[in-house]
Amino acid sequence: MAAKAENRKHGFTIAHEVEKRIRLRSRRLFDPSLDLRYLEALAESLPGVQRARTNKWGSSIVIEYDGNPANRARILNLLENIPKDAYMPGGTGQGAISLPTVGTQGAVAGLTPFMPAEAAAPTSWLLGMPTMLEGLHTLLYDGVKVEVLDASAVAFSLLRRDYFTANAIVAMLGLGSYMENWTEKKSDELLKSLLRPQVEKVSVERDAREVRVDFTDLAVGDLVICGSGELVPVDGVVVDGDAALNQSSITGESLPVHVSEGDSVLSGAVVEDGRIKIAAQNVGRETSMARIGRFLENSLRTRSTSQKKSDELADKLVPVTFALGLGLFALTRDVTRAASVLTVDYSCAIKLASPVAVKTAMHAAGHCGVLLKGAQALDNLARIDTIVFDKTGTLTRGNLKVTDVLPLGGGSDAELLALAAGAEEHYSHPVARAVVAEAEARALPLPPMSQVDFIVAHGVSAYVEGEQVLVGSRHFLEDDEGVDCSGVEALGRELRSGGKSLLYVARSGKLAGVIALRDELRPEAGQALSMLKERGIRKIVMLTGDHKDTAQSIAADLGCVDEIHWELKPEDKADLLRELQDAGHFLAFAGDGVNDAPALVSADVGICMPGGADLAREAAQVVLLEDDLRLLAMARDLAANTQHVLTRSFQAAVGINSAILLAASTGKLSPVVSAFLHNASTLGILGYAGMAGRGAKATKTRSNAANRSQEK
């Protein structure tokens, strides 16, 4: 009774269940608007699920999982509450033909010549009935489509009692459909193979103890513990602790921010220093780490503008073929010739080549370090003529480097740098790392420090030989500690005009000097811009909120920058992009912060860097998974190559099928031969389309080789 109640509750009947495998039935799987492949992807994204497959005509779904009762409950809950995005207007939930069915059809076709007429007739009608019923249904509800052509060819052959031809056509249609579905399914699986969590284990507090648990076991309300160097895996609120959090991808600032109890944090940020306890508010599929999975799930069914145009043209050619077949029959009364014509259509190769090529290219891009969110991103990448870069975190690393050491009061720069590095030595902070690295590079001995006190997001207080040393911002020294810094105002303005950040050092209550640091330019940035120029990008624009002098200096170092805009506010970026678009440019925008989201949405292609904020990743069409701008050139090559493959596939589909159609119209091909040639050409075109990503590895290999050469 309990099992029956459970079945009624979920709308799915548990048809069969063994350990780690469950098969359920439901009439809901017949809903023409339910995307069965998307439902499979949703099921396979659940914790513990290894595989999911649907059978529309068997009205069942089989799910293999780890046998965990909690995961079983998640599976049933998903099927009870299938999300709205699994349904698509117009219907995409076509059931795939099974291999046993294909084998049965082939066996019947092969045995037909040896059957007595009394057995061949009913067997052939029975075998051809599904094809004819599908064609009739398509004609009534969708008009003249490829299913109508197939049904007509089978019906013509059956009416003239040519049972072998009818069965052979059915068998070849089945084999072709199976191979087409297999090819597309493999391309889907390639994309699904990229669905990997960025974090596998996390630390949580349970029963007053810190334990390591699987990322998939996190729940809302869990207390997640993050220490120095760790990635924040959830969105939530700090309930305990104190830390410097690197949120450069969110704020656009090079320096970390201080977070403490009551502050909100976003997944993807990195703890630079300290230790915090976070009450999780968003976990699992709601975090940025799971959003990449959703991007890929959606990409399994999205189609670009060029794909839709190809599909529309293919659909328009179907009535032409149908009219030609009927016209030949009316003129010649030759059923065989009409059936030969009706076995040929342009639709299959044209419609199926696009998704196979696009998904293969997306998989190749993913393995090379670029996440493409759907076919439109690939389509647009091939068309762009302008790229707009936000400077911070995109053309620069977001890492600081010491540029100037300026002592005051007669001291040497070595003494000032050693004093600052000694205080900062054990402080895990970008500024501290830059200062210590510079001291190590100069082989300076560091003075022994005592009573070191880290004031998170402000600076360091320490003692050397009984004298207090303060290292930090002007606000920390002047406002908090009472050190007079007015004597370096002019010097500070000069350094800042060069795009530098300032670190103030005081000893015994007096300012000892200033250390200037600058955000480091990406070493590959100049080469990346040159590579993009070589690939047809006519205009490269740089945007920054920095001072004019800083912007011009960086642009000069980069080279290949055609236009610079400085001292911009976040809202100015989107306005500038619209001006460029109004001037006729088809453009991409590359950024990584929350304040870049409006520009990412406004651009024809939004590109987000690997450390980008959640909102930036959500808004972008392209996400770099590796910290290398040259990947943009690889993505451009891949997009251009895919467009070439699609164009050649379209030309081949039209050319080959036109030749077959001409030969069939003149009576030179039988229906069996015509169907064989049509299906063989379709599979050949699909095989060619599957090579769309073949140039990606070579491009990346060349990029890596160039990188090694540059390093030497």
Side-chain angles (χ1 to χ4, degrees):
M1 292 295 291
K4 290 182 179 178
E6 182 184 46
N7 293 340
R8 285 195 299 272
K9 176 184 177 183
H10 294 287
F12 277 77
T13 301
I14 299 176
H16 184 257
E17 184 173 8
V18 295
E19 186 182 8
K20 300 184 179 182
R21 185 178 183 274
I22 184 170
R23 180 162 61 91
L24 305 102
R25 283 202 180 111
S26 175
R27 297 289 297 175
R28 293 172 69 182
L29 297 177
F30 272 107
D31 189 332
S33 66
L34 178 60
D35 189 337
L36 298 183
R37 286 182 178 170
Y38 189 67
L39 181 61
E40 290 174 0
L42 288 175
E44 289 175 355
S45 69
L46 292 175
V49 174
Q50 284 90 40
R51 185 184 179 198
R53 65 181 187 276
T54 56
N55 183 345
K56 178 179 180 179
W57 301 111
S59 64
S60 66
I61 179 169
V62 177
I63 299 178
E64 299 172 13
Y65 69 110
D66 60 5
N68 188 318
N71 292 335
R72 178 183 182 275
R74 291 188 179 102
I75 293 168
L76 296 177
N77 183 63
L78 170 67
L79 296 178
E80 177 192 2
N81 303 289
I82 298 175
K84 291 181 180 179
D85 58 1
Y87 293 87
M88 294 185 69
T92 58
Q94 300 298 322
I97 189 169
S98 66
L99 187 59
T101 301
V102 172
T104 301
Q105 291 173 343
V108 171
L111 294 173
T112 300
F114 307 101
M115 291 183 184
E118 296 79 7
T123 301
S124 300
W125 279 95
L126 186 64
L127 191 67
M129 193 58 66
T131 302
M132 292 186 289
L133 289 176
E134 186 176 3
L136 179 61
H137 181 276
T138 302
L139 180 63
L140 293 175
Y141 292 97
D142 299 316
V144 180
K145 304 291 184 184
V146 63
E147 293 83 3
V148 178
L149 296 182
D150 297 337
S152 300
V154 173
F156 276 10
S157 298
L158 288 172
L159 289 172
R160 62 190 295 268
R161 299 180 183 179
D162 186 352
Y163 301 125
F164 171 71
T165 297
N167 293 342
I169 292 173
V170 169
M172 280 187 284
L173 287 173
L175 178 61
S177 178
Y178 175 79
M179 292 300 295
E180 290 160 5
N181 278 290
W182 180 85
T183 303
E184 193 168 4
K185 185 78 172 178
K186 284 296 181 184
S187 65
D188 287 354
E189 289 174 355
L190 286 176
L191 278 184
K192 289 188 214 176
S193 69
L194 297 176
L195 302 181
R196 298 288 183 269
Q198 295 179 17
V199 175
E200 295 182 358
K201 294 282 187 179
V202 295
S203 297
V204 299
E205 182 180 290
R206 290 182 179 171
D207 299 326
R209 293 186 304 113
E210 182 177 336
V211 296
R212 298 283 288 176
V213 301
D214 290 336
F215 172 77
T216 54
D217 290 338
L218 281 178
V220 174
D222 273 345
L223 297 179
V224 180
I225 301 169
C226 296
S228 180
E230 292 184 333
L231 182 76
V232 175
V234 296
D235 300 335
V237 176
V238 178
V239 296
D240 187 36
D242 198 56
L245 203 63
N246 187 341
Q247 298 184 134
S248 59
S249 62
I250 299 171
T251 64
E253 296 291 334
S254 300
L255 302 179
V257 297
H258 175 220
V259 296
S260 57
E261 185 175 348
D263 292 331
S264 297
V265 295
L266 295 174
S267 60
V270 176
V271 178
E272 291 282 0
D273 179 63
R275 183 179 172 87
I276 52 175
K277 190 183 298 181
I278 306 165
Q281 293 178 330
N282 293 321
V283 300
R285 290 179 62 80
E286 298 308 313
T287 65
S288 61
M289 286 169 283
R291 287 173 195 159
I292 286 182
R294 290 212 298 279
F295 297 152
L296 293 178
E297 287 168 7
N298 284 317
S299 74
L300 298 181
R301 58 185 186 171
T302 56
R303 303 179 76 79
S304 66
T305 302
S306 61
Q307 283 179 292
K308 291 174 183 176
K309 289 180 179 178
S310 296
D311 289 355
E312 289 171 3
L313 179 57
D315 286 337
K316 289 177 181 178
L317 291 173
V318 172
V320 174
T321 304
F322 189 69
L324 179 60
L326 293 183
L328 280 173
F329 176 70
L331 291 173
T332 64
R333 298 295 175 181
D334 188 340
V335 177
T336 301
R337 189 180 298 187
S340 298
V341 169
L342 293 173
T343 58
V344 182
D345 75 272
Y346 300 90
S347 179
C348 292
I350 293 175
K351 285 188 173 183
L352 291 171
S354 289
V356 169
V358 166
K359 291 170 188 177
T360 303
M362 288 173 64
H363 175 262
H367 274 290
C368 289
V370 181
L371 174 67
L372 301 172
K373 298 186 199 172
Q376 192 64 50
L378 199 64
D379 196 11
N380 288 351
L381 265 179
R383 297 175 55 199
I384 58 173
D385 56 55
T386 300
I387 298 184
V388 180
F389 288 95
D390 180 59
K391 179 190 74 71
T392 304
T394 306
L395 294 172
T396 61
R397 282 194 177 279
N399 295 331
L400 296 173
K401 186 177 181 180
V402 173
T403 58
D404 303 273
V405 180
L406 304 169
L408 301 173
S412 70
D413 57 352
E415 290 173 343
L416 178 66
L417 184 61
L419 192 66
E424 299 268 29
E425 185 178 11
H426 302 291
Y427 190 21
S428 180
H429 184 283
V431 172
R433 288 197 296 267
V435 171
V436 173
E438 182 67 18
E440 290 177 348
R442 299 189 185 191
L444 299 178
L446 304 185
M449 294 283 176
S450 62
Q451 301 181 44
V452 180
D453 185 19
F454 303 129
I455 297 89
V456 176
H458 286 280
V460 179
S461 171
Y463 285 84
V464 56
E465 298 177 353
E467 295 181 304
Q468 186 184 30
V469 176
L470 299 171
V471 182
S473 65
R474 177 172 179 173
H475 167 73
F476 171 54
L477 268 67
E478 195 164 51
D479 297 341
D480 295 347
E481 300 294 336
V483 178
D484 182 16
C485 299
S486 59
V488 293
E489 283 187 5
L491 177 63
R493 283 195 298 269
E494 180 183 348
L495 292 170
R496 288 192 188 93
S497 68
K500 299 172 184 178
S501 302
L502 303 184
L503 188 68
Y504 293 79
V505 184
R507 183 169 184 170
S508 298
K510 294 184 179 180
L511 188 65
V514 176
I515 297 175
L517 306 97
R518 188 178 183 183
D519 197 359
E520 185 181 0
L521 197 66
R522 290 179 182 273
E524 84 284 359
Q527 184 188 5
L529 299 190
S530 297
M531 292 170 70
L532 289 168
K533 282 283 190 177
E534 293 169 1
R535 284 155 177 79
I537 302 300
R538 298 201 302 269
K539 190 171 189 176
I540 293 177
V541 181
M542 186 183 80
L543 311 182
T544 180
D546 289 336
H547 188 273
K548 175 183 177 181
D549 295 339
T550 303
Q552 291 179 333
S553 174
I554 291 174
D557 291 341
L558 285 168
C560 296
V561 177
D562 302 297
E563 194 173 302
I564 314 166
H565 297 267
W566 50 81
E567 296 181 7
L568 294 176
K569 298 177 182 178
E571 58 271 21
D572 295 336
K573 298 175 185 178
D575 293 337
L576 183 61
L577 261 60
R578 280 191 287 271
E579 291 176 11
L580 289 169
Q581 288 171 321
D582 291 342
H585 296 284
F586 198 84
L587 57 87
F589 174 82
D592 71 340
V594 165
N595 54 18
D596 293 328
L600 288 167
V601 172
S602 300
D604 298 294
V605 180
I607 301 168
C608 183
M609 300 302 290
D614 288 354
L615 186 58
R617 283 172 171 258
E618 199 79 57
Q621 287 181 303
V622 178
V623 179
L624 299 189
L625 303 178
E626 297 180 15
D627 209 17
D628 189 340
L629 279 176
R630 288 170 299 184
L631 292 176
L632 288 178
M634 186 279 297
R636 170 77 168 186
D637 283 343
L638 195 57
N641 182 63
T642 302
Q643 290 301 311
H644 175 73
V645 168
L646 290 176
T647 300
R648 294 294 296 271
S649 296
F650 182 86
Q651 293 171 343
V654 172
I656 294 173
N657 284 290
S658 295
I660 297 172
L661 201 60
L662 179 63
S665 301
T666 57
K668 294 181 179 179
L669 298 178
S670 69
V672 174
V673 174
S674 181
F676 172 78
L677 291 175
H678 165 67
N679 283 284
S681 67
T682 298
L683 294 177
I685 291 170
L686 289 180
Y688 174 69
M691 299 169 63
R694 67 188 185 277
K697 287 185 178 180
T699 301
K700 192 175 185 185
T701 299
R702 289 195 299 271
S703 176
N704 290 340
N707 187 32
R708 288 191 295 269
S709 176
Q710 187 180 34
E711 289 173 354
K712 290 178 182 179

